[in-house]
Amino acid sequence: MNDIHGNNGSPGIPRGIGDLLDVAVRRAVPVVGALPDGCLEAATPCAEFDVKALVNHLFQVMEQFQRLAAKQDSDFTESADRVAEGPDWRERFGEEARKLVAAWSAPGAEEGTTGAMNMPAATVGSMVLLDLTVHIWDLARATGQGYVPEGEALAVVERLAGTVAELAPTARSMGVFGEAVPEPAGASAFERLLAATGRDPRWAAPVS
């Protein structure tokens, strides 16, 4: 694991991708662990995914970004149905998430370039950090769970604000982000981040 220091050298503030992912994963795993089987077809704020599809997407993301951390080729063309592989999918999600943290905490993971587009590795690491943050909010929101980054998780939000600002034009042109939505009055930094990715921070599950 990377050393944890703030810009002023004080301990306790996560800075490296591995450390930030560790923070995000410690908040993500309980949300996924609390997903009931009866909610798998529920809509999420990410319109192209229901709950099950989004969990499967996150499995794919975690697996492929482990490869990217090691500067290996990735393949996002095939997505397995990990949820259908057995009732222990929640536990397997936690295991895969911890392997992702280890991969991006390895020496050299953030150095150089990685991926088919030869992007800076630190930017690629921030991309998976974004998925493990906003998509977990999607799942929490879809299933009535609370998800409000606070404490050390605010360092994750700060890192991702810069990432989204950098990637937004390309991500919108590729359909990865939706158009930014208006921020609610008095929006928090996290709500501003969600709005910038095309999510309505006030999204509520449809009433059946």
Side-chain angles (χ1 to χ4, degrees):
M1 191 72 66
N2 298 325
D3 291 336
I4 301 178
H5 296 286
N7 293 331
N8 60 2
S10 60
I13 301 174
R15 184 173 61 181
I17 291 295
D19 297 314
L20 292 168
L21 274 171
D22 181 59
V23 172
V25 161
R26 282 189 276 115
R27 285 156 175 79
V29 168
V31 170
V32 174
L35 296 175
D37 287 334
C39 79
L40 293 177
E41 296 182 359
T44 75
C46 190
E48 65 181 296
F49 295 117
D50 62 14
V51 168
K52 180 182 177 182
L54 188 49
V55 171
N56 281 326
H57 172 69
L58 284 172
F59 266 108
Q60 180 195 40
V61 164
M62 292 189 295
E63 292 162 1
Q64 296 304 319
F65 274 84
Q66 288 174 52
R67 299 180 60 83
L68 289 169
K71 310 299 191 294
Q72 298 173 356
D73 292 337
S74 59
D75 182 3
F76 289 91
T77 60
E78 296 184 7
S79 179
D81 190 348
R82 300 300 185 198
V83 174
E85 290 177 356
D88 63 340
W89 56 269
R90 299 170 186 82
E91 290 77 13
R92 285 186 281 113
F93 183 95
E95 292 167 3
E96 209 63 50
R98 286 184 283 274
K99 287 195 285 185
L100 179 72
V101 173
W104 282 95
S105 299
E110 290 186 56
E111 299 173 4
T113 60
T114 190
M117 298 176 67
N118 287 320
M119 295 178 66
T123 299
V124 173
S126 292
M127 291 165 64
V128 71
L129 179 65
L130 182 64
D131 268 21
L132 264 292
T133 302
V134 298
H135 280 324
I136 294 301
W137 178 85
D138 290 333
L139 291 172
R141 199 71 172 178
T143 55
Q145 300 185 57
Y147 186 83
V148 180
E150 54 190 2
E152 61 184 353
L154 294 176
V156 174
V157 175
E158 181 179 1
R159 174 66 173 255
L160 292 180
T163 300
V164 169
E166 175 187 355
L167 298 178
T170 301
R172 290 196 182 103
S173 69
M174 297 175 63
V176 177
F177 291 173
E179 290 299 320
V181 303
E183 301 168 2
S188 67
F190 184 54
E191 289 172 330
R192 292 194 296 273
L193 176 70
L194 293 171
T197 66
R199 288 163 170 79
D200 182 354
R202 297 157 295 189
W203 187 93
V207 177
S208 57

